Amino acid sequence: MRGGRRSSGRCRAGSAYPGEVYEERPARLAGAVVWRREPGAAADAADPGTRPVLPDGCMDLIWADGRLLVAGPDTRAYVPRSPAAQYAGVRFAPGEAAGVLGVEASAVRDERVELAELWGPRVARRLADRVSGAADRAAALEDLVLRRAADAPAPDPLLRAVVARLRAGLPVGTAADELGIGVRQLHRRSLAAFGYGPKTLARILRLQRALALVTAGVPAAEAAPRAGCVDQAHLAREMRALTGLTIGGYVAGLRSA
């Protein structure tokens, strides 16, 4: 795991407090990321909650203070009501989690679901205890995911191609035409894999492109068209619709961390 404090803003438990440790690294499962978050001395009553988790098209399997949870794909910012003290997680690439976790993405959209509800309490408890007892919980969780993935159906190559095109900024209709699939059929297949239709995924990925540029210091007026928005006002509307935040508020939150 990479050393030092690392905060990408994509931790499904919420971004780290000042002083907390958040680390991530590529997983051995293609496209996935392994991450962990641990408390720091700066977390106190003045800042009792975690920062919002913004939609990113992903799903996660999370260990949180001894419990295993599935974080579904978000269509709005998520703030935990009762944040855990320690987290470890595996974040799947868009469309890759449903087969491994055995649940359609649309069934857990905008939800944090106990793994016991999906795999049964005995299995979930045994796996949670195994991760809790490991010296490296994030690595133990990754091993669990790799074992599940070995027995799961292979990800749909067509949907992987859709994600690649949407990440590149292609319109949904163009992506569907290039791949020889009708828009309606693509929408049906997307619900199970992504949790929502391809147009929603395209909006989320576009917002993530814009936020990456803004975080890197690109002015919002320039970042908006580069990410695929019509203009800065369009980006501001999408930011409010998908996160409830403003660009300025988001950047200020990152700087304060």
Side-chain angles (χ1 to χ4, degrees), residues 101-115:
L101 300 179
V103 59
E104 290 194 358
S106 58
V108 291
R109 182 176 56 236
D110 293 317
E111 299 287 348
R112 303 300 185 267
V113 178
E114 296 276 353
L115 189 66

Side-chain angles (χ1 to χ4, degrees), residues 9-16 35 37 50-56 58 60 62 71-72 74-80 87 91 110 112 208 242-243 245 250:
R10 297 181 62 194
C11 171
R12 301 303 289 272
S15 301
W35 57 267
R37 201 199 88 186
T50 53
R51 291 178 177 82
V53 180
L54 305 191
D56 58 8
C58 301
D60 291 54
I62 298 174
D74 293 321
T75 61
R76 56 182 181 267
Y78 174 82
V79 179
Y87 294 92
R91 181 187 312 121
D110 293 317
R112 303 300 185 267
Q208 287 290 334
L242 291 170
T243 73
L245 304 173
Y250 172 77

